[in-house]
Amino acid sequence: MRGLLSPTSVYVVSVRADDALAAHAVGVQRLLASYRSIPATASVRLAKSTSNLFRARAKRDAPGLDTSGLTGVISVDPDAHTADVAGMCTYEDLVAATLPYGLSPLVVPQLKTITLGGAVTGLGIESTSFRNGLPHESVLEMDILTGTGELVTASRDQHSDLFHAFPNSYGTLGYSTRLRIELESVKPFVALRHIRFDALPELVAAMDRIVDTGGYDGAPVDYLDGVVFSADESYLCVGVQTGTPGPVSDYTGQRIYYRSIQHDTGVKDDRLTIHDYLWRWDTDWFWCSRAFGVQNPRLRRFWPRRYRRSSVYWKLVALDRRFHIADGIEKRHGRPPLERVVQDIEVPIERCAEFLAWFTATVPIEPVWLCPLRLRDQDGWPLYPIRPGRSYVNVGFWSSVPAGATEGATNRLIEAKVTELDGHKSLYSDSYYTPEEFDDLYGGEAYKTVKKTYDPDSRLLDLYAKAVQRR
């Protein structure tokens, strides 16, 4: 689309870039001033009213870091295929800035309000991860506010220890204020094929072949994920970019994307714009909008389209957690309280069918999401030590089950099974590991070394305290 820019519009773009850079500099100064205003004996946290974390957190009255000036795209370089982005910029705003150039981040997590900084420090994933890895692997450099109050630029060549330990540190090593990321070219449309499988081992074997070869049925594959509805009904969703115009589906209205995947046998074709493909899961928060009745056709008709998005559902979840609405309903019906089971785990692809067979027989949650991945960086990342050169599958499941006799009974079962299968789980939700287990799984010694260097006075929380003890 750059060919459509006139000399005048190029000047306007340049002026806007200068304005964005100046605004970013002001935002950084505001952040540093807020850091200096926090007493030296107090813990440092972000001042955020929203979050994509599902961990319960201790309530704090102390002021946090002011990130209000760090929410935009600073610049896009269409020639270099890079963008400079503020740490609190949402992927919704980032994609809106890059798509007019026919460019996209290499990995776009599924929900619009996930921030770039959050996806890098907390890990993100999507259907390009089988070829592009995880979001932090497309970061070229980043400016990080460390626990000492110093702003450092980290890359593979400078402050490389911090650069490599930053992913999965969840803000306990610092906060990114600017990230320079790679972009890739994209076409206007995505042609989809939803392939049904009646047995989970067959689905996993087909997924493995696509990851290894990069193609399906003789054509290159650009996007790959899947959905398991039951042990005998599962689908791979294979996407190919195309510039060919034609009819496209719309799942932001009355139709629901995940239901469109289902069919009786064989392959079902579909088409979306690239924009709608990237946000196909956000309208119904995958399938979790059904908990709010939004998938009921009568209610959906009157639920405003602008409120059919993950950020609205998240606010409803926050209200439920604050007032214990769901537990109250269960109690009135004489049922036990619920245990929240909201997790993403990764297991080696050769163990995936085993995990899915165990999960579908043990945990009463469906559907579940599948997303294959393979790291790009051959050196690996110490705080999430999955092996380079090995294929993994992310399995996402987000619901609740009847509470057991002990706190987190089902979550503990899942943690044990994932560890048994040489896997890991993301730390955005409830965790129950012992300190020793946690150190073994999440780079304990490497983390402690970097922590001592960049946060020697422990102004920022410890990772175990934040992820497991919920401080």
Side-chain angles (χ1 to χ4, degrees):
M1 299 182 67
R2 292 182 61 246
L4 302 178
L5 298 177
S6 67
T8 301
S9 65
V10 170
Y11 172 75
V12 170
V13 169
S14 177
V15 169
R16 288 175 181 166
D18 290 343
D19 290 346
L21 187 60
H24 177 72
V26 171
V28 171
Q29 291 307 310
R30 192 183 305 161
L31 174 76
L32 293 173
S34 69
Y35 176 92
R36 290 191 292 267
S37 71
I38 298 173
T41 56
S43 295
V44 176
R45 294 170 177 267
L46 294 182
K48 290 178 62 181
S49 59
T50 60
S51 172
N52 282 292
L53 298 179
F54 275 84
R55 284 188 251 105
R57 294 179 294 175
K59 188 167 182 170
R60 303 281 174 172
D61 296 324
L65 295 175
D66 183 353
T67 60
S68 59
L70 301 174
T71 61
V73 177
I74 303 166
S75 64
V76 176
D77 187 333
D79 295 318
H81 282 203
T82 62
D84 279 58
V85 187
M88 295 296 289
C89 179
T90 66
Y91 272 92
E92 181 176 26
D93 290 340
L94 175 53
V95 166
T98 63
L99 279 188
Y101 295 100
L103 298 171
S104 169
L106 270 62
V107 181
V108 179
Q110 315 86 343
L111 306 180
K112 292 178 177 179
T113 55
I114 293 174
T115 63
L116 176 60
V120 168
T121 193
L123 304 185
I125 194 169
E126 236 294 331
S127 58
T128 56
S129 289
F130 78 101
R131 59 183 178 86
N132 286 340
L134 299 174
H136 58 268
E137 297 190 279
S138 58
V139 175
L140 300 173
E141 66 177 30
M142 43 187 165
D143 296 337
I144 299 172
L145 175 66
T146 68
T148 63
E150 181 184 8
L151 197 65
V152 303
T153 299
S155 69
R156 287 173 173 81
D157 300 319
Q158 53 184 336
H159 297 288
S160 61
D161 53 348
L162 178 60
F163 181 84
H164 283 96
F166 198 71
N168 209 45
S169 64
Y170 282 89
T172 65
L173 295 177
Y175 299 105
S176 57
T177 63
R178 178 192 63 92
L179 303 97
R180 178 168 295 165
I181 62 169
E182 298 175 71
L183 304 173
E184 67 177 5
S185 297
V186 292
K187 296 178 181 177
F189 306 100
V190 177
L192 284 167
R193 307 195 78 189
H194 303 309
I195 309 160
R196 175 166 176 151
F197 295 86
D198 299 323
L200 292 170
E202 294 175 7
L203 174 141
V204 174
M207 180 189 293
D208 198 12
R209 287 194 296 273
I210 294 172
V211 173
D212 277 344
T213 64
Y216 173 77
D217 205 17
V221 171
D222 297 308
Y223 305 101
L224 178 64
D225 63 352
V227 179
V228 175
F229 289 90
S230 67
D232 54 8
E233 184 191 1
S234 57
Y235 300 86
L236 284 183
C237 304
V238 175
V240 177
Q241 295 180 27
T242 176
T244 305
V248 292
S249 297
D250 177 8
Y251 297 107
T252 63
Q254 297 305 302
R255 301 174 66 194
I256 298 170
Y257 175 71
Y258 84 99
R259 288 300 182 194
S260 76
I261 293 170
Q262 293 183 277
H263 56 276
D264 291 334
T265 186
V267 179
K268 181 180 179 181
D269 294 326
D270 199 358
R271 278 171 53 93
L272 294 171
T273 66
I274 181 64
H275 175 276
D276 285 357
Y277 177 80
L278 293 176
W279 302 129
R280 68 200 182 284
W281 293 121
D282 190 83
T283 300
D284 284 286
W285 208 6
F286 284 84
W287 31 81
C288 298
S289 67
R290 63 187 177 185
F292 311 109
V294 183
Q295 295 181 27
N296 182 315
R298 286 177 292 181
L299 180 59
R300 193 178 185 88
R301 192 174 298 116
F302 296 102
W303 191 295
R305 185 184 294 238
R306 67 183 181 277
Y307 295 144
R308 288 186 218 129
R309 51 181 288 142
S310 60
S311 57
V312 171
Y313 307 138
W314 171 254
K315 291 176 182 177
L316 296 176
V317 168
L319 286 173
D320 174 71
R321 288 168 60 182
R322 181 178 177 184
F323 296 107
H324 307 288
I325 298 169
D327 283 347
I329 293 172
E330 295 301 302
K331 185 176 181 179
R332 283 198 297 273
H333 287 84
R335 296 190 291 260
L338 298 172
E339 176 188 350
R340 183 179 60 201
V341 182
V342 177
Q343 305 286 355
D344 279 77
I345 65 94
E346 268 102 36
V347 292
I349 199 165
E350 65 271 17
R351 311 300 298 271
C352 182
E354 182 180 352
F355 176 80
L356 291 173
W358 174 85
F359 186 89
T360 55
T362 307
V363 183
I365 292 176
E366 56 76 28
V368 302
W369 184 58
L370 306 179
C371 188
L373 70 141
R374 184 178 281 181
L375 294 181
R376 293 173 70 202
D377 195 301
Q378 294 307 302
D379 293 330
W381 304 88
L383 269 60
Y384 204 74
I386 61 177
R387 287 191 235 161
R390 190 177 190 183
S391 298
Y392 291 78
V393 179
N394 175 280
V395 185
F397 36 93
W398 316 292
S399 189
S400 56
V401 300
T406 59
E407 181 191 2
T410 299
N411 282 284
R412 293 173 192 270
L413 278 176
I414 292 167
E415 287 181 356
K417 190 65 178 180
V418 170
T419 300
E420 175 192 327
L421 298 180
D422 195 22
H424 286 76
K425 62 175 265 187
S426 297
L427 298 175
Y428 69 84
S429 191
D430 300 315
S431 296
Y432 296 90
Y433 298 110
T434 66
E436 295 75 21
E437 291 170 334
F438 191 85
D439 280 355
D440 286 344
L441 290 168
Y442 298 102
E445 287 305 315
Y447 173 76
K448 291 171 185 175
T449 299
V450 178
K451 181 77 168 173
K452 288 177 183 177
T453 302
Y454 295 95
D455 186 24
D457 298 323
S458 297
R459 296 295 308 279
L460 308 173
L461 278 179
D462 173 76
L463 183 58
Y464 183 78
K466 189 169 187 177
V468 182
Q469 297 175 325
R470 308 172 198 173
R471 293 181 184 172

